[in-house]
Amino acid sequence: MKTTAPPPQGYVRVELEAGEALHVLHPNAILAYRGAGRGREDRIMDAGGIYRKRKWIRSLLRGQSELLLGLPPGFGLETVAIPAGSDLLFDFRHVIFYSDGMALKPRIQKLKTAWITKELTRMRFSGPGSIGILTAGGLARIDLDEEQPLFIDASALVAFPESASIRLSVYGNPLASQHMNVQWELRGTGSALIQTGSFDRALPELLDKGGFIRRTLRELLPFGGVYIK
């Protein structure tokens, strides 16, 4: 399988060779298809897939073919190779396709984690194979350490090892912890995958409107962003 996404990433081109197959979890994203008509087979998702993707149908594409997948505005696509024995847990909402032959297994999260992520489960893909990940910006890989904690903005974390020790946290002095988004604190071995397009969502608003004093008060006062418009 070969994928190309020329900038700007409004779409991605996927090419399959004879004998290859691909599961597309968002069939309506298929803008164009070149290949044998019988090479596409739509199937009903299982109950878990319907709950996690809010979709009823997935498409299985087989054989030598080419397709264009449209991407949501502001999103890119990264293809991630999954080796045999991988224990990465993915936010299933980010997955747009995966190669045939991979095993999928849902992993139930702790309730305190699910309350923040709004997802009761994360998906484990067992390779070898490849999956297509929708990301805001690019996709960065960062190694974990068993002793030194790694703090990651909860909205930026796409995947982490199932074996990792993980909890919700903040860090820094009281002012820093009060004004930051909830963080994932990870320890362990392996790597985490982070979407790099996540950033301070208030930044564009601050750049567009508000004087210096008003912006300063928003930053310094507790809940300043709520009460000072």
Side-chain angles (χ1 to χ4, degrees):
M1 181 182 68
K2 177 182 178 182
T3 61
T4 54
Q9 289 186 327
Y11 70 93
V12 62
R13 186 188 306 272
V14 181
E15 299 178 41
L16 298 178
E17 300 293 336
E20 292 184 325
L22 187 71
H23 295 267
V24 178
L25 299 178
H26 296 275
N28 289 339
I30 301 175
L31 303 178
Y33 170 79
R34 188 198 308 274
R38 63 181 180 277
R40 172 172 171 169
E41 178 186 347
D42 283 10
R43 298 179 175 182
I44 301 294
M45 278 192 177
D46 59 22
I50 292 172
Y51 169 75
R52 289 184 294 273
K53 302 296 288 187
R54 276 64 170 181
K55 299 285 185 180
W56 288 88
I57 303 294
R58 61 182 171 89
S59 294
L60 175 61
L61 302 172
R62 298 179 183 273
Q64 188 168 5
S65 57
E66 176 184 356
L67 60 147
L68 296 183
L69 295 175
L71 305 180
F75 280 78
L77 185 139
E78 299 282 343
T79 302
V80 179
I82 305 296
S86 172
D87 71 339
L88 280 177
L89 297 181
F90 284 86
D91 184 338
F92 200 48
R93 295 170 296 182
H94 286 268
V95 181
I96 190 170
F97 64 72
Y98 63 92
S99 55
D100 192 42
M102 301 184 71
L104 286 67
K105 188 170 185 179
R107 295 297 197 188
I108 298 177
Q109 298 186 89
K110 296 179 180 178
L111 288 179
K112 63 179 181 179
T113 303
W115 183 79
I116 294 294
T117 63
K118 306 299 187 296
E119 285 290 313
L120 183 60
T121 63
R122 286 213 165 210
M123 187 64 67
R124 177 173 173 173
F125 290 83
S126 297
S130 299
I131 62 176
I133 301 295
L134 287 171
T135 67
L139 195 66
R141 183 183 297 268
I142 185 167
D143 293 335
L144 304 182
D145 187 273
E146 293 183 341
E147 301 297 330
Q148 185 69 32
L150 174 66
F151 296 94
I152 303 174
D153 189 310
S155 65
L157 185 62
V158 173
F160 58 88
E162 185 176 14
S163 59
S165 170
I166 180 170
R167 70 185 185 94
L168 299 177
S169 179
V170 290
Y171 63 93
N173 65 3
L175 183 60
S177 61
Q178 181 181 8
H179 286 272
M180 69 174 56
N181 296 329
V182 172
Q183 305 283 311
W184 299 78
E185 180 185 325
L186 285 83
R187 301 173 191 259
T189 59
S191 302
L193 299 180
I194 305 169
Q195 58 178 350
T196 60
S198 298
F199 68 101
D200 184 357
R201 292 171 176 81
L203 182 58
E205 179 183 355
L206 293 176
L207 294 174
D208 289 339
K209 61 182 179 180
F212 172 77
I213 295 177
R214 185 172 297 177
R215 295 198 305 268
T216 301
L217 291 175
R218 284 195 193 119
E219 287 293 322
L220 295 181
L221 295 179
F223 307 105
V226 175
Y227 297 110
I228 301 177
K229 303 299 182 181

